[in-house]
Structure formats: C-alpha cells, structure tokens
Amino acid sequence: MTRKRLIAGNWKMHGSFAESRQLVAALRDGVGAEDRALMLLCPPYVYLNAVRDWLQGSNIALGAQDLSDRSGTGAFTGEVSGAMLRDLGCTHVIVGHSERRALYDESDAVVASKFKAAQQAGLIPVLCVGETLEQREAGHTQATVQRQVAAVIDAAGVAAFGKAVIAYEPVWAIGTGRTATPEQAEEVHALIRAMIAERDATIASGLPILYGGSVKGANARSLFAMKDIDGGLVGGASLVATEFLEIFRAGI
C-alpha cells in the first residue's frame, strides 16, 4: 500500500502574530497543488483561528499541539476539547509529545485517553512515542516504544490506527542537535509497524509513521529514503520557511 507523505510542523510555544503570518505566506508559496506530500502546521492555540484563515485555498492542513482528554463541555478551566479544535478547522492533533509526557507528567493512560478523545471529535491523532537517552543507553528502546504503543492499542483497539499517525521521536535527539541515523530511526519505525502488523497487516501497511528527532533540510532526504519512514514531525526547523520547505520537498 502506498502511504502519502506527511510533513508536520510543530511550532511549540514560538512566534508572534506577525511572525506566524509571514511564515504561513512563505510556506503557501512553496506548496503546490500536485505535491505528493501533505504539509501540516500545528501552531499555538491562540493562533489557530488566524492560521486557518491564512491557509484558506491552500493544500496545507491545520493541526493542534494538544487537546483535553475530556469530551463535550464542562467545568475544565484552561482545557480545549477536540470538538473545539475541529470547529476551528483542525484535521489533526498531536498527542503524547515527549514534552507533554516529561514536563506535564502525562502517563501512557492519559495519552491513550487523549488519542481516543481526538478520534471521537473527528480528528486524526498524531501519537508521539520515543525513548530518553537513559532508556536508549540501558537498552530499553524497544520496550519503551512497545509499551507506549500498546497502551493505545489496549485502550482504543488496533482498528483505530486506520485513522491515525504515529511519530517516533527519540527524546535524546530533540533540540539537542543530535539525530538518529537513518538506520537507527528505521529500526524503530519497522518495530512499530511490525507491532501493528501482528494484529492487522492491512492497517499496518497504511499507517504513516513519522520521524521526529531534529529533522533538517540536510538530513531529511536520507531519513525519508528509509522504507518505514513516511515523513517528519519537525520542531525548530518548521519555524524557518526555507528550511521547512527543503524538508517538505525531500518528502515529495
């Protein structure tokens, strides 16, 4: 099965209104109607509405960086539901990013709950999994990633991955300047796909699995050449239009 490339930009807590508008304008100019990859932008919550308007008429998709695990409405001050994100025009939402797991103590159970909430709202969850440097050096990469993926399979079922994306983000390679080699990344991507395939080979063959550890224009092509790497979840480089477009073109 041919999987469409996905190049997602996670802006994190960066940018101003003016900087975001300038960035979107530059990205729009670089994305064509016939491109075989999908570009996805995930700005901070406060800019979602504006970015949606700036993307009108383009082939660039809109996503959010997180969502509440609560569905519907209620007294949850500060939370943003999947339904609200969908109402704003989002098609995707990141869940379980390593920073959410590390800085806000999101457990595998919470991430699985957010995954389900995203799909219940009609959003495509981009499930982030990955190991820390300590876990890698201890030889626990496989066990860590399998545990994180299994938590979602147990909660939502393998069929849910028919409308989902997984992003492998080795925590030791995020914002550190270190990058997994294409072979190291491919090993984990293949592991994830095999884990899904044990339960449903068809879903596994169509599941986009992104790499998310310091992707740059200089290494994107070699990463995307790997059999099981279907694109990237890009952090800092997505804030520089020329760099992000170079990564995007590597995925076409």
Side-chain angles (χ1 to χ4, degrees):
M1 180 182 294
T2 301
R3 297 181 296 273
K4 186 169 183 176
R5 298 279 194 179
L6 175 62
I7 313 298
N10 176 15
W11 295 2
K12 305 189 180 184
M13 198 172 73
H14 290 292
S16 64
F17 185 88
E19 290 168 340
S20 299
R21 180 168 54 187
Q22 184 178 20
L23 177 57
V24 170
L27 294 175
R28 283 191 57 142
D29 288 343
V31 176
E34 302 302 321
D35 289 338
R36 292 178 295 172
L38 174 67
M39 179 181 286
L40 170 67
L41 302 182
C42 299
Y45 282 138
V46 293
Y47 299 137
L48 280 171
N49 197 53
V51 173
R52 177 200 61 190
D53 291 344
W54 298 332
L55 291 177
Q56 289 295 321
S58 76
N59 291 309
I60 303 174
L62 181 67
Q65 298 177 16
D66 189 32
L67 82 164
S68 173
D69 60 351
R70 307 281 183 166
S71 59
T73 59
F76 307 112
T77 300
E79 291 292 276
V80 177
S81 73
M84 292 172 179
L85 297 175
R86 182 69 177 173
D87 196 34
L88 275 179
C90 291
T91 56
H92 295 68
V93 61
I94 299 170
V95 298
H97 191 279
S98 60
E99 291 158 3
R100 299 296 311 180
R101 293 178 188 264
L103 299 178
Y104 301 98
D105 296 320
E106 290 192 1
S107 65
D108 291 341
V110 167
V111 172
S113 182
K114 289 189 173 188
F115 182 100
K116 291 176 64 178
Q119 290 195 328
Q120 288 167 359
L123 298 168
I124 297 173
V126 180
L127 170 66
C128 297
V129 299
E131 81 283 12
T132 64
L133 179 60
E134 181 181 15
Q135 289 167 330
R136 171 165 279 272
E137 291 182 339
H140 297 159
T141 294
Q142 179 173 330
T144 299
V145 171
Q146 287 180 322
R147 186 199 76 233
Q148 292 169 339
V149 174
V152 179
I153 294 175
D154 291 344
V158 72
F161 286 88
K163 294 183 179 179
V165 175
I166 293 180
Y168 167 56
E169 45 165 17
V171 182
W172 50 272
I174 298 175
T176 64
R178 303 178 61 174
T179 308
T181 66
E183 292 75 20
Q184 286 175 320
E186 170 63 16
E187 182 180 9
V188 180
H189 281 237
L191 169 73
I192 294 169
R193 199 175 306 284
M195 186 177 179
I196 301 296
E198 288 177 359
R199 296 160 174 83
D200 193 307
T202 300
I203 287 176
S205 67
L207 174 65
I209 306 178
L210 314 182
Y211 174 73
S214 296
V215 181
K216 298 179 175 62
N219 62 26
R221 197 168 299 278
S222 60
L223 285 164
F224 299 164
M226 296 291 103
K227 176 184 175 183
D228 292 295
I229 299 180
D230 304 311
L233 177 59
V234 185
S238 70
L239 298 167
V240 181
T242 53
E243 184 80 7
F244 194 42
L245 285 170
E246 185 177 356
I247 296 169
F248 179 73
R249 292 189 200 98
I252 296 176

